[in-house]
Amino acid sequence: MKASIGGYARAETIAHALSLLGEANGAGRILAGGQSLVAALNLGTTAGDMLIDIAGIGALRGARLDGDRLIIGALTRHADIARDPLIGEHAPLLAKAAPLVAHDAIRNRGTIGGSLAYADPAAEYPACAIALGATILLEGPNGTREVAAEEFFLGLFETERAEDEILTAIAVPKATDGERHVIREAARRSGDYALAGLAVVRRDGRHRIGAFALGDRPLLCKGAMEAFDTGDVDAAVTALATDVDPTSDTQASATYRRHLAGVLLRRIAVDLGVA
Ligand code: FAD
């Protein structure tokens, strides 16, 4: 099917993009890497959008340190997340997640901001963001605001971002000494979306576990986290089964996804030397 769009404009700056969004009166749609949006347009699941292309806004690209936080611009591509030394040092979870996202062609164009804004529950970065205790930075006509990643993802492809706001960056607390980051997923083939996945951060002896493809949004697995902290892996696996809320689809049943989650958690326990 040929994509049907209501127009296209290339934004020069964030302010310009916000003004184009305002002028579009609700029909504006940010175009970043285009790896999810163009597919949706071609499938006809979205149509008539006024595309506002932000790909040329240099201020939205790249990572920088700001006090005890690492700020990663929304336009930073998956391929750059994987190889940027600042990200590798201060947010290794994201660097480990990037190679799990799709294939090279998509990683060379797709952006972290696009992935977070799209909020696919099977995507890696949203679960990493909640495991890291990250913050999402938004800019709109009334200024900037920050939303904890835990509160940003509201449901299937649904977020706290208002229609007239742009996701400008993600802020991640800099990794502390001895902090450990692990991500594991099960997928049918390398590059496919995961059937189940877990992202885990161990900081100061405590664990934060983010789950993906195991609910209608990325989930913070509080029961499993508590049990993991005590070193009781069996109890963590039992708790995880109720922390997650998968559905059955053509790829896998809910029961199988829950089973996979438990297997992944046991493997992560070995990775981290828990118990
Ligand atoms: P776009 O496609 O440009 O935009 C996606 C959505 O987010 C649109 O609604 C757009 O309006 C909005 N948006 C984008 N940027 C912003 C912003 N800064 N502010 C506000 N709104 C914004 N992803 C995974 O995580 N894991 C996978 O395994 C995976 N496999 C894939 C396999 C295939 C075959 C394909 C086509 C895609 C796959 N993806 C996967 C998705 C890919 O990672 C996309 O790059 C990503 O989801 C969206 O990033 P983008 O920059 O391409 O965003």
Side-chain angles (χ1 to χ4, degrees):
M1 188 187 285
K2 201 162 180 226
S4 158
I5 61 169
Y8 170 91
R10 196 170 166 81
E12 306 293 337
T13 60
I14 298 173
H16 186 203
L18 288 175
S19 118
L20 289 166
L21 263 182
E23 282 164 28
N25 219 359
R29 188 71 88 102
I30 298 293
L31 175 65
Q35 298 305 294
S36 296
L37 181 53
V38 173
L41 287 167
N42 286 336
L43 285 170
T45 52
T46 178
D49 295 327
M50 169 68 193
L51 299 188
I52 298 162
D53 186 348
I54 60 168
I57 305 178
L60 291 176
R61 198 177 301 284
R64 65 182 167 84
L65 291 174
D66 179 21
D68 57 2
R69 306 199 300 180
L70 176 71
I71 312 285
I72 305 173
L75 283 181
T76 311
R77 293 180 176 145
H78 310 324
D80 297 319
I81 300 275
R83 62 183 170 225
D84 185 312
L86 266 188
I87 297 174
E89 182 179 349
H90 299 293
L93 188 63
L94 294 172
K96 291 176 183 182
L100 300 175
V101 177
H103 311 282
D104 276 343
I106 289 160
R107 291 196 288 266
N108 284 333
R109 295 207 64 87
T111 67
I112 189 165
S115 175
L116 294 167
Y118 194 51
D120 188 322
E124 286 82 0
Y125 295 142
C128 292
I130 64 170
L132 285 162
T135 306
I136 308 296
L137 277 52
L138 300 166
E139 193 160 336
N142 301 319
T144 58
R145 66 184 179 117
E146 300 196 359
V147 181
E150 248 176 276
E151 284 152 28
F152 183 69
F153 302 99
L154 301 180
L156 197 62
F157 302 110
E158 204 191 323
T159 71
E160 254 293 315
R161 184 183 73 87
E163 253 176 24
D164 57 0
E165 287 179 312
I166 293 176
L167 191 160
T168 55
I170 171 175
V172 180
K174 273 165 54 181
T176 55
D177 276 351
E179 190 164 311
R180 298 280 306 276
H181 294 187
V182 180
I183 181 166
R184 277 188 176 266
E185 68 179 38
R188 287 198 187 280
R189 295 170 308 182
S190 157
D192 280 4
Y193 272 107
L195 298 177
L198 297 175
V200 179
V201 172
R202 176 157 71 203
R203 186 177 291 150
D204 301 328
R206 309 286 304 272
H207 298 89
R208 285 179 67 89
I209 305 176
F212 51 104
L214 289 163
D216 70 349
R217 70 197 78 177
L219 299 167
L220 190 65
C221 303
K222 292 187 177 157
M225 282 157 47
E226 237 173 73
F228 228 51
D229 286 349
T230 67
D232 189 339
V233 178
D234 287 336
V237 170
T238 303
L240 184 65
T242 47
D243 285 337
V244 299
D245 187 19
T247 47
S248 299
D249 58 25
T250 52
Q251 297 294 316
S253 67
T255 308
Y256 184 52
R257 286 179 197 270
R258 264 205 181 85
H259 167 74
L260 287 175
V263 171
L264 293 171
L265 192 58
R266 286 190 190 282
R267 290 184 184 166
I268 290 172
V270 174
D271 295 335
L272 292 174
V274 175

